[in-house]
């Protein structure tokens, strides 16, 4: 495959940034999107140019590090797929592909396609934990959990914190991420002691970071690679309203 890439290049947070066009040839359809960028970077390095900076780690769709807007869609147009698991066979030969970083005020660009997502870390630090007394692990099944609650908690816990929900939301809201972290703990017995304080602290930290409010547009769930359902936000709002009273 031969491709034309329009890539956002930005040297530093202070740099204005611009779109730069590159031609990449002989791309295997079996390559992942990141492997295709590796090919581009190898060529740029050999030519003495600065390689395109982008986040990546596991490349298995579980760490949440990779994240970029591909042709206007966070992680690309494949449903429930991270950028690292997106393969080039989903693109046409001679396609023009536009690649940009996450766009949100709380996610400032560090360089090229790399953004600072430490705002997510501070939301987690505000309340994403449970009280666990010291000692040995409890016996299995000593805390019964309804299957419907266990399933819902597991669905919420699959959030990998990639930030696609923020990038896709027209309001730049982190409600789906925050709701997933609140909900997967609030549905389990271990999360009950801090349930009220957790909801208040994490929602207030989300607002303090400058994320927008949720207006139920649903773009977040559409691009979420783990398919976090929209009703987790409703669960978060219930917990926050109850805690506020």
């Amino acid at each position: 495959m031969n491709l034309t890439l329009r890539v956002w290049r930005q040297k530093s947070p202070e740099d204005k940034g611009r779109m730069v066009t590159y031609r990449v040839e002989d791309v295997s359809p079996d390559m992942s999107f990141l492997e295709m960028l590796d090919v581009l970077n190898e060529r740029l390095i050999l030519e003495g140019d600065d390689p395109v900076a982008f986040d990546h780690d596991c490349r298995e769709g579980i760490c949440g590090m990779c994240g970029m807007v591909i042709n206007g869609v966070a992680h690309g147009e494949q449903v429930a797929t991270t950028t690292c698991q997106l393969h080039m066979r989903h693109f046409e030969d001679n396609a023009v592909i536009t690649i940009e970083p996450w766009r949100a005020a709380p996610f400032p660009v560090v360089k090229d396609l790399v953004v600072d997502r430490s705002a997510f870390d501070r939301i987690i630090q505000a309340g994403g934990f449970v009280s666990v007394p010291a000692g040995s692990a409890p016996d299995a099944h000593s805390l019964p959990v309804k299957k419907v609650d266990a399933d819902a908690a597991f669905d919420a816990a699959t959030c990998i914190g990639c930030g696609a929900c923020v990038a896709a939301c027209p309001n730049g809201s982190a409600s789906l991420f925050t709701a997933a972290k609140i909900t997967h703990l609030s549905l389990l017995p271990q999360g009950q002691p801090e349930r009220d304080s957790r909801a208040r602290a994490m929602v207030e930290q989300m607002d303090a970071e400058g994320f927008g409010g949720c207006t139920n547009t649903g773009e977040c769930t559409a691009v979420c690679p783990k398919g976090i359902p929209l009703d987790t936000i409703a669960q978060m709002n219930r917990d926050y309203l109850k805690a506020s009273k």
Side-chain angles (χ1 to χ4, degrees):
M1 300 172 63
N2 298 319
L3 304 168
T4 299
L5 306 181
R6 298 178 65 249
V7 184
W8 181 260
R9 302 303 308 266
Q10 185 172 337
K11 294 181 179 180
S12 67
E14 295 76 26
D15 186 31
K16 188 175 181 180
R18 69 198 188 282
M19 298 299 294
V20 178
T21 301
Y22 300 101
R23 186 70 175 169
V24 182
E25 300 178 345
D26 297 327
V27 175
S28 169
D30 296 324
M31 283 183 178
S32 72
F33 199 86
L34 297 189
E35 288 172 333
M36 182 273 295
L37 290 179
D38 290 337
V39 171
L40 170 63
N41 280 343
E42 288 175 0
R43 195 192 79 199
L44 293 177
I45 292 171
L46 290 175
E47 293 174 353
D49 202 351
D50 194 23
V52 177
F54 60 91
D55 278 325
H56 62 96
D57 192 358
C58 74
R59 299 200 178 201
E60 295 178 351
I62 56 176
C63 74
M65 283 298 295
C66 65
M68 55 193 73
V69 177
I70 303 169
N71 289 339
V73 181
H75 287 306
E77 296 181 2
Q78 286 300 116
V79 177
T81 304
T82 56
T83 301
C84 62
Q85 293 295 293
L86 176 65
H87 287 81
M88 300 314 298
R89 56 180 170 269
H90 297 297
F91 296 89
E92 298 291 336
D93 188 27
N94 292 312
V96 178
I97 304 175
T98 301
I99 310 171
E100 302 172 86
W102 291 162
R103 300 291 190 184
F107 288 167
V109 175
V110 177
K111 182 178 181 181
D112 296 337
L113 305 176
V114 178
V115 300
D116 181 359
R117 287 174 281 186
S118 58
F120 273 8
D121 297 330
R122 291 188 288 272
I123 293 175
I124 292 293
Q125 291 167 0
F129 50 83
V130 296
S131 292
V132 180
S136 60
D139 293 335
H141 305 302
S142 62
L143 293 175
V145 180
K146 294 180 180 178
K147 188 176 188 305
V148 63
D149 291 339
D151 289 345
F154 184 82
D155 287 344
T158 58
C159 171
I160 57 177
C162 63
C165 52
V166 177
C169 179
N171 305 324
S173 174
S175 291
L176 191 67
F177 164 80
T178 307
K181 301 305 178 183
I182 290 175
T183 298
H184 94 264
L185 294 176
S186 67
L187 292 175
L188 299 176
Q190 296 90 337
Q192 299 313 305
E194 294 99 356
R195 183 169 183 169
D196 289 350
S197 61
R198 177 186 304 111
R200 287 198 311 269
M202 295 183 72
V203 170
E204 290 168 3
Q205 185 63 41
M206 175 183 68
D207 293 339
E209 295 293 340
F211 292 103
C214 174
T215 53
N216 292 316
T217 304
E219 291 290 338
C220 53
T221 59
V223 300
C224 176
K226 299 304 175 181
I228 306 297
L230 195 63
D231 58 11
T232 57
I233 298 178
Q235 179 67 50
M236 175 185 72
N237 289 338
R238 284 194 293 269
D239 281 0
Y240 181 75
L241 181 60
K242 179 181 176 182
S244 298
K245 291 183 177 180

